[in-house]
Amino acid sequence: MYSPVIESLIEQFAQFPGIGKKSAERIAFYVLNNMSNADVENMAKILTYAKSSVRFCDVCQNLTDTSPCPICSSHKRDKSVICVVEESKDVSAIEKTGQYSGLYHVLHGVISPIDDVSPDDIKIKELLLRLNGEVKEIIMATNPTVNGTATAVYIQKLLKPMGVKVTRIAHGIPIGSVLEYADELTLTKALEGRVEML
Amino acid sequence: MYSPVIESLIEQFAQFPGIGKKSAERIAFYVLNNMSNADVENMAKILTYAKSSVRFCDVCQNLTDTSPCPICSSHKRDKSVICVVEESKDVSAIEKTGQYSGLYHVLHGVISPIDDVSPDDIKIKELLLRLNGEVKEIIMATNPTVNGTATAVYIQKLLKPMGVKVTRIAHGIPIGSVLEYADELTLTKALEGRVEML
């Protein structure tokens, strides 16, 4: 339908997660119709520069272009707590709350036998290497999915003999939601995790 | 939240139409985690090459990297019919039907007084220049919106004295849909456009 150059531009965008053929077409036409040549050259430069300079932080494994990353090298962060998450975007989500001042550890995935992801394929070894005497608590903040929970339990068992406290983030009814629309598992978790009102 | 390089990568994707902050983050992490360096360099090259080589076809104003475009220069197309559309993606939509063998003309917009788009801002002059004796019919295939319809009527009035037949694509109940869910205007158009069953 389109000339080969336009087709290949559309294909580039269509490979992105959550972008179908129609959205890719819309983005390609945005690039061709609405962006200036300078804008497009700038975008191309940022793409290649980001890809070549961003890597994993040697400490927390989060994506960064300096290592250690800004969080690991900050003097303001509480180095006695490490929050373990699945992906870099989870770090961003927790940082947005502004309520957490400890460190992070990014696993880059979860253990999943079906997808052939074993404990060695995610950054668990790197977490164990961080356990010096300074770390007092590990918060497991993997997602409440089957694999996320299994990964949390697996790591908790590894850490048990090391004398570090392991906690799991709470699961329950989201704020602003109503009981009526909660699924049974969430409701069960909300009941199990009930706390005394003082 | 992220290091400046990652932030600027996310911003690049967030400027695209239909891409919010969350989707832009997901795409940025896809680039950083899932694409190879070679893939990213290739994408950067395609972006700059497409932007620098793609322009409007001198004849139909569609986006192309050769002028005239493949459709205008094809010997298989019926040069007596021109289908007038708003955007390049409309050409693609009609081509996908495989039922149209005439030529196209892309207006690149519609007349819209509110948005300060006058007839001179879209490719109407270029359409009039194409009217040699060979063209027998102009099919107005602008969208059935207020501006799309007004633009169709405006062009039809311009063309009237030139002795060329001007037609409008049919509007009615979409195939596979039901009357119950059709809005009143669509239903009115469907009634007005009724054809005899033979």
Side-chain angles (χ1 to χ4, degrees):
Chain A
M1 316 301 174
Y2 299 111
S3 71
V5 181
I6 301 179
E7 277 292 352
S8 66
L9 185 64
I10 295 171
E11 273 165 31
Q12 288 298 316
F13 297 123
Q15 71 175 296
F16 287 148
I19 306 291
K21 186 76 197 291
K22 286 251 176 196
S23 306
E25 281 181 14
R26 202 164 359 129
I27 294 172
F29 287 125
Y30 174 83
V31 169
L32 296 172
N33 285 326
N34 301 91
M35 287 174 74
S36 71
N37 282 332
D39 287 344
V40 175
E41 269 169 41
N42 186 39
M43 172 176 284
K45 270 185 206 143
I46 288 174
L47 265 169
T48 42
Y49 178 71
K51 182 65 189 176
S52 64
S53 65
V54 171
R55 53 198 207 81
F56 295 156
C57 169
D58 289 325
V59 183
C60 73
Q61 310 299 320
N62 196 2
L63 290 168
T64 176
D65 56 325
T66 57
S67 186
C69 73
I71 293 178
C72 286
S73 55
S74 166
H75 296 295
K76 292 183 182 159
R77 311 293 301 211
D78 178 356
K79 292 185 169 36
S80 70
V81 193
I82 297 177
C83 178
V84 178
V85 296
E86 292 180 18
E87 303 291 351
S88 288
K89 55 177 177 283
D90 302 326
V91 171
S92 172
I94 295 175
E95 282 297 284
K96 276 177 195 158
T97 67
Q99 301 298 309
Y100 178 71
S101 61
L103 302 177
Y104 292 96
H105 190 84
V106 182
L107 295 173
H108 291 284
V110 281
I111 303 166
S112 171
I114 289 176
D115 304 313
D116 211 20
V117 181
S118 77
D120 287 344
D121 296 324
I122 62 176
K123 307 289 184 183
I124 295 180
K125 275 188 313 291
E126 290 79 357
L127 173 62
L128 301 183
L129 287 171
R130 294 178 66 181
L131 298 180
N132 49 27
E134 211 181 344
V135 179
K136 303 296 178 210
E137 180 179 356
I138 304 277
I139 304 172
M140 295 306 310
T142 52
N143 290 318
T145 55
V146 172
N147 289 335
T149 306
T151 304
V153 171
Y154 178 89
I155 294 175
Q156 183 247 331
K157 283 186 176 155
L158 278 182
L159 296 175
K160 213 169 191 178
M162 298 183 180
V164 59
K165 184 171 155 193
V166 182
T167 56
R168 183 91 172 102
I169 51 164
H171 300 125
I173 311 294
I175 304 298
S177 183
V178 289
L179 285 191
E180 187 182 350
Y181 298 135
D183 62 291
E184 290 148 42
L185 254 175
T186 301
L187 214 43
T188 306
K189 289 286 174 196
L191 286 168
E192 282 173 8
R194 67 190 181 277
V195 288
E196 195 178 353
M197 299 175 71
L198 299 169
Chain B
M1 315 300 173
Y2 298 110
S3 70
V5 181
I6 301 179
E7 277 292 354
S8 67
L9 185 64
I10 295 172
E11 273 165 31
Q12 288 298 316
F13 297 123
Q15 71 176 293
F16 287 148
I19 305 292
K21 187 77 197 289
K22 285 252 176 197
S23 305
E25 281 180 14
R26 201 164 359 128
I27 294 171
F29 287 124
Y30 174 83
V31 170
L32 296 172
N33 285 326
N34 302 90
M35 287 175 74
S36 71
N37 282 331
D39 286 345
V40 175
E41 269 169 42
N42 187 40
M43 172 176 283
K45 269 184 208 146
I46 289 175
L47 265 170
T48 41
Y49 178 71
K51 182 64 188 176
S52 64
S53 65
V54 171
R55 53 198 206 81
F56 295 156
C57 169
D58 288 324
V59 182
C60 72
Q61 310 298 320
N62 196 3
L63 291 168
T64 176
D65 55 326
T66 56
S67 186
C69 73
I71 293 178
C72 286
S73 55
S74 166
H75 297 295
K76 291 183 184 160
R77 311 292 302 212
D78 178 356
K79 292 184 168 40
S80 70
V81 194
I82 297 177
C83 178
V84 178
V85 295
E86 293 180 17
E87 304 291 350
S88 288
K89 54 178 178 281
D90 301 326
V91 171
S92 172
I94 296 176
E95 282 296 285
K96 275 176 195 156
T97 67
Q99 300 298 309
Y100 178 71
S101 61
L103 302 178
Y104 292 96
H105 190 84
V106 182
L107 295 173
H108 291 284
V110 283
I111 302 167
S112 171
I114 291 177
D115 304 313
D116 211 20
V117 181
S118 77
D120 287 344
D121 295 325
I122 62 176
K123 308 288 184 184
I124 295 180
K125 277 189 312 290
E126 290 79 356
L127 173 62
L128 301 183
L129 288 172
R130 294 176 67 181
L131 297 180
N132 50 26
E134 211 181 344
V135 179
K136 304 295 178 208
E137 181 179 357
I138 304 278
I139 304 173
M140 296 305 311
T142 52
N143 290 318
T145 55
V146 172
N147 289 334
T149 306
T151 303
V153 171
Y154 179 88
I155 294 175
Q156 183 246 333
K157 284 186 176 155
L158 278 182
L159 296 175
K160 214 169 188 176
M162 298 184 180
V164 60
K165 185 172 156 192
V166 181
T167 56
R168 183 95 172 98
I169 51 163
H171 301 124
I173 312 294
I175 305 297
S177 183
V178 290
L179 285 190
E180 188 181 351
Y181 298 135
D183 62 291
E184 290 147 43
L185 254 175
T186 300
L187 213 43
T188 306
K189 289 285 174 198
L191 286 168
E192 281 173 9
R194 66 191 182 278
V195 288
E196 193 178 354
M197 299 176 70
L198 299 171

